[in-house]
Amino acid sequence: MPNRRSVFFVSDRTGITAESLGNTLLTQFDTEEFNRETEPFIDTVEKAQELAQRIDEIAANDHRKPLVFTSIIKADVRAALQVKNALVIDFFQTFIGELEAELGEKATMSVGKAHGMDDEEKYDHRIEAVNFSLNHDDGVKLKDLDEADVILVGVSRSGKTPTCLYLALQYGIKAANYPLTPEDLDSPTLPKMLLPYKQKMFGLTIDPSRLHNIRSERRPDSRYASMENCRREVNEAESMFRHHGVQFISTTHMSIEEIASTIMHNAHLVRRF
C-alpha cells in the first residue's frame, strides 16, 4: 500500500477556507489516502519560511510531493511559501486576478474578512440563533417557539442537535428540536405542545440499523438501543410524519452540511446572512 500523501491547509487566519475548499477537491480522488494538517495564522514571512522548510523535509522523507492549499492575502507571505518540492495551490492567486479584471477594480486584500467580525450585525444574528438553538435543544424549553424558523422533530439520535447548531452558525436560522418519546409515538396525534407550530415542523428519520449502532455506543445492551426498539420507533415516527403531512428526510447517509442545506431548500427557509 502506498504511503499517505501529506496535505497542508495553510492560512493567515483560521484556515477554514483553505481546509473547506481543499477537502472538497480531495473528495474527488478516492483511491488516494491523505495525511491532512491545518496550519492557521501563518501571517509573517518568518512563519511561512519555517513551514516551507518543514514541508520540504516531509517531501524528502515521503518521497512524494506534499499538497499545499493556501488562502494567504499578503504577497510576501505567499511568496515565502512557494515550496519547490510540493504542489502549492494558491486560492487567492488563482482567482483574485480574474475577478479584478472583470470587476475593474483592485481587491482590498484585507486579512480576516471571510471569518472575522467586520459585520457586527451578521455576528449578532449568528450568536442569537446559536443561543436560541441551545435553549431549545431536545425539548428543554418549549416557550418562545413562535420565534423559531424551524422545529426539527425525530427520534433520539437522529441528528437533530448538530443540525440545529449548524443551521444557526451557518445561516443564522433559529432552529429548535423536539425528540419524539415513546409516549409521543404511541399517540395518534402530534405532540400537544407542537400542534400550534405544525407548519414549522420538519422531520428527521434514520435507518434503524444505523440508529442501533449509534445508540449502542451510548447505551449498549439496553432496550433503548435494541434493534427491535429502533425499528419500531423509526417506523412509528415516519407514520406520524406521513399522517400529519410533515416533511421529513432520512439522515442515514447525509452529512450535517447536507442535512442542513436540504432543510433550507425544502422548508424554503431564508438565511439571515
Side-chain angles (χ1 to χ4, degrees), residues 48-272:
Q49 289 173 337
E50 183 179 338
L51 178 58
Q53 182 178 346
R54 185 159 71 85
I55 294 173
D56 261 332
E57 292 171 357
I58 289 172
N61 290 332
D62 289 352
H63 304 292
R64 304 182 79 192
K65 278 188 173 184
L67 308 179
V68 183
F69 297 96
T70 75
S71 58
I72 293 176
I73 297 292
K74 293 181 179 179
D76 56 346
V77 179
R78 288 206 311 269
L81 201 62
Q82 294 303 310
V83 186
K84 180 176 63 175
N85 295 316
L87 173 63
V88 179
I89 299 174
D90 185 331
F91 291 121
F92 275 101
Q93 192 172 46
T94 300
F95 299 113
I96 285 291
E98 287 190 42
L99 283 169
E100 286 179 334
E102 178 62 28
L103 298 175
E105 62 176 285
K106 298 292 288 183
T108 61
M109 305 306 281
S110 301
V111 175
K113 283 200 168 183
H115 304 288
M117 286 182 58
D118 56 306
D119 187 336
E120 290 188 11
E121 184 178 358
K122 170 182 172 180
Y123 186 78
D124 289 344
H125 275 311
R126 173 181 283 186
I127 296 303
E128 184 181 354
V130 169
N131 285 333
F132 183 90
S133 293
L134 289 173
N135 287 333
H136 296 80
D137 181 44
D138 273 352
V140 170
K141 185 178 178 183
L142 293 174
K143 69 175 186 176
D144 303 327
L145 284 181
D146 55 317
E147 295 181 19
D149 297 305
V150 66
I151 303 170
L152 301 188
V153 183
V155 300
S156 172
R157 313 306 287 179
S158 56
K160 301 181 300 300
T161 295
T163 302
C164 282
L165 290 174
Y166 187 87
L167 285 167
L169 282 166
Q170 193 70 15
Y171 304 116
I173 294 296
K174 289 184 177 181
N177 81 72
Y178 182 89
L180 293 171
T181 65
E183 291 76 18
D184 293 325
L185 296 171
D186 288 339
S187 171
T189 64
L190 292 172
K192 185 176 180 180
M193 61 283 297
L194 297 182
L195 283 174
Y197 311 106
K198 178 182 173 182
Q199 299 307 313
K200 295 185 177 186
M201 291 172 59
F202 197 100
L204 299 186
T205 186
I206 186 170
D207 182 83
S209 297
R210 174 65 176 150
L211 183 62
H212 165 67
N213 291 336
I214 294 171
R215 288 183 173 184
S216 293
E217 291 178 4
R218 189 180 187 188
R219 289 166 57 182
D221 302 320
S222 64
R223 170 168 171 72
Y224 165 79
S226 71
M227 187 65 205
E228 178 185 358
N229 185 59
C230 291
R231 187 179 292 114
R232 181 188 67 81
E233 286 192 18
V234 169
N235 288 339
E236 290 182 0
E238 291 183 2
S239 294
M240 175 188 287
F241 297 149
R242 292 190 184 98
H243 181 72
H244 294 284
V246 176
Q247 288 192 81
F248 69 95
I249 58 171
S250 173
T251 64
T252 308
H253 301 295
M254 300 175 73
S255 67
I256 296 302
E257 294 87 348
E258 289 172 316
I259 297 168
S261 295
T262 303
I263 292 169
M264 290 290 295
H265 177 74
N266 291 359
H268 307 291
L269 299 176
V270 178
R271 65 170 70 201
R272 285 194 164 82

